[in-house]
Amino acid sequence: MPRTVVFESVGGPEVLAVCECVLPEPGPGGLRLRVAAIGLNRAEALFRAGTYLERPRLPATLGYEASGTVEAVGEGVTAFVPGRRVDTVPAFSQNDYGVYGTHVLVPARAAVPHPEHLTPVQGAAVWMAYLTAYGALAEDGHLRPGDHVLITAAASGVGLAAIRTARRLGVHPIATTRTRVKARHLLDAGAGAVVVTGEEDLLARVEAVTAGRGVRTVFDPVAGPGVLALARTLAPGGRLIVYGRLDPRDTPLPGQDTFAPVTSRFFSMHEVTRDDERLRRAHAFVTAGLADGSFTPVIDRVFEGLDAVAEAHRHLESGTRIGKIVLTVRD
C-alpha cells in the first residue's frame, strides 16, 4: 500500500505522521515516482513549522528532493518513460507537491536523469545544495578566478557544495564554523582557510588570508544583525548574498555603519529551478562536476524507512550535522 508523510498542524517534528494513501495518478506534464531515497532540507523543517517563505495549506505533505524510478507518465510527457531512474529538483511549491512518500507525483520539469555512477542516497543529496551554490556564486559571473569568497555556516550541505563550486570556478573559499570540531571536515572539503568564529576574530582572519584585500563575495544562510560584521570583510564592490534566515531577527542593510561601497541581496534557489534556461545551465554545470569528480555529495547520516521521518527531522535541527541527511524508503 502506498504511504506518505503528512502533517495536520504546524509545529515540531512530532507533527509528522505516516499514512496509507491511494496510488496517485499523474496529470498532464507529470510523473509518478517510486521513491528510493529522500534528501532532507532545512526548507522542509521551516515549512513544517510554518515559518517558511510560504505557509502550508493543511493538511499538507512536504519534500523537495528524492531519487527513484518513473512508474507512470502523464499526458504530454516525452522526456521520461517508465523504468527511468531520476532525481527531483526543487522546482515546485510544497503546497502542490511533496516527495516524502513511497509513490509521489512531481512535474516532469522537476526531474533530471539520475547520474548512473551515484547511488539513490547520493542522488537525493546532490541537487538542492549544488543548484543553490551554482545560482548564487556562478550564474551572474560576479565571482572571478582568483577572488575570495567567505562561506558562513559552511558545514551544511549547501556550504560544502559552495566550497566545491568555488574551487571549480577558480575562487578561493574561506569557510566559517562556530566550533573547531568541524574545521578538519571543511579543510578536507576544499576550504582554503577555516575561521572558527567562536574562537577567532573574523575580520582579522579574513584580512590575513586575503592579504588585506577582503573577499569578493559573502555567502550566508544566517542573516540577522550579524550581516554588519560580515559586510566588513567585503572588498570595495563586493557582494553579500543571503540565502537563508537562521537568525529570525531583522536583517539590517549591510554597510550602513561604514557606508562601504558594497551591495547585498537575498537569494533563493527557486531563481534557478523555476527558470528553464537557468535550470538547464545549472544542470549542465553540476553534471559536469559530478562526472569529473569535482563535486560529490556529502552524507551526514542515513535514516531507514518513512517511520524514521520525525527522528530524521530532529537530527536536521540539531545543528550537529556535516552534510546531507537522507531518508531511505523501504516500504
Side-chain angles (χ1 to χ4, degrees), residues 4-325:
T4 188
V5 175
V6 298
F7 58 103
E8 297 186 351
S9 62
V10 297
E14 68 279 357
V15 302
L16 298 174
V18 182
C19 301
E20 292 185 349
C21 63
V22 175
L23 185 68
E25 293 297 333
L31 304 174
R32 184 176 76 229
L33 306 184
R34 178 62 169 93
V35 176
I38 302 164
L40 273 59
N41 297 288
R42 180 74 178 175
E44 292 139 27
L46 295 174
F47 186 69
R48 181 210 72 223
T51 55
Y52 191 46
L53 299 173
E54 56 181 349
R55 287 189 62 86
R57 296 194 297 265
L58 301 172
T61 187
L62 72 171
Y64 279 128
E65 284 187 287
S67 184
T69 303
V70 176
E71 278 196 337
V73 302
E75 180 183 351
V77 175
T78 59
F80 300 102
V81 296
R84 182 70 184 270
R85 294 176 65 199
V86 298
D87 302 327
T88 65
V89 299
F92 48 82
S93 165
Q94 291 182 95
N95 275 318
D96 298 326
Y97 301 92
V99 300
Y100 281 27
T102 59
H103 304 74
V104 302
L105 301 181
V106 296
R109 69 170 306 274
V112 296
H114 174 76
E116 291 300 324
H117 65 289
L118 298 185
T119 66
V121 166
Q122 291 172 319
V126 168
W127 297 103
M128 189 165 191
Y130 277 99
L131 294 181
T132 301
Y134 165 84
L137 303 183
E139 177 67 16
D140 66 3
H142 179 76
L143 274 171
R144 305 158 302 194
D147 286 338
H148 287 83
V149 57
L150 180 65
I151 301 167
T152 65
S156 68
V158 174
L160 294 169
I163 290 173
R164 291 184 167 91
T165 297
R167 285 294 187 190
R168 189 166 178 82
L169 297 172
V171 174
H172 304 295
I174 304 171
T176 77
T177 180
R178 287 179 296 177
T179 60
R180 190 161 296 278
V181 67
K182 296 179 180 179
R184 183 72 258 168
H185 293 279
L186 296 174
L187 291 170
D188 290 343
V194 175
V195 183
V196 181
T197 55
E199 303 174 8
E200 302 175 276
D201 182 277
L202 176 64
L203 181 57
R205 282 281 282 128
V206 169
E207 288 182 342
V209 172
T210 64
R213 292 187 297 272
V215 300
R216 176 77 169 169
T217 298
V218 174
F219 187 48
D220 174 59
V222 181
V227 300
L228 295 178
L230 296 178
R232 296 189 185 99
T233 70
L234 287 165
R239 179 182 296 176
L240 170 68
I241 301 174
V242 178
Y243 69 96
R245 199 180 177 191
L246 296 177
D247 187 336
R249 294 176 293 176
D250 286 344
T251 301
L253 179 67
Q256 67 171 294
D257 51 343
T258 61
F259 275 49
V262 299
T263 61
S264 63
R265 62 164 299 195
F266 286 89
F267 174 81
S268 165
M269 50 83 196
H270 290 298
E271 294 180 32
V272 171
T273 61
R274 295 183 180 178
D275 181 302
D276 287 342
E277 184 59 20
R278 287 188 175 189
L279 181 56
R280 182 193 65 79
R281 292 194 296 265
H283 179 258
F285 181 83
V286 177
T287 299
L290 290 169
D292 68 15
S294 299
F295 299 158
T296 182
V298 178
I299 311 298
D300 174 83
R301 185 173 171 186
V302 177
F303 290 82
E304 296 187 2
L306 286 181
D307 292 318
V309 64
E311 182 185 2
H313 264 240
R314 282 189 282 272
H315 184 58
L316 177 67
E317 296 181 314
S318 69
T320 61
R321 63 190 174 101
I322 299 174
K324 194 81 166 188
I325 299 167

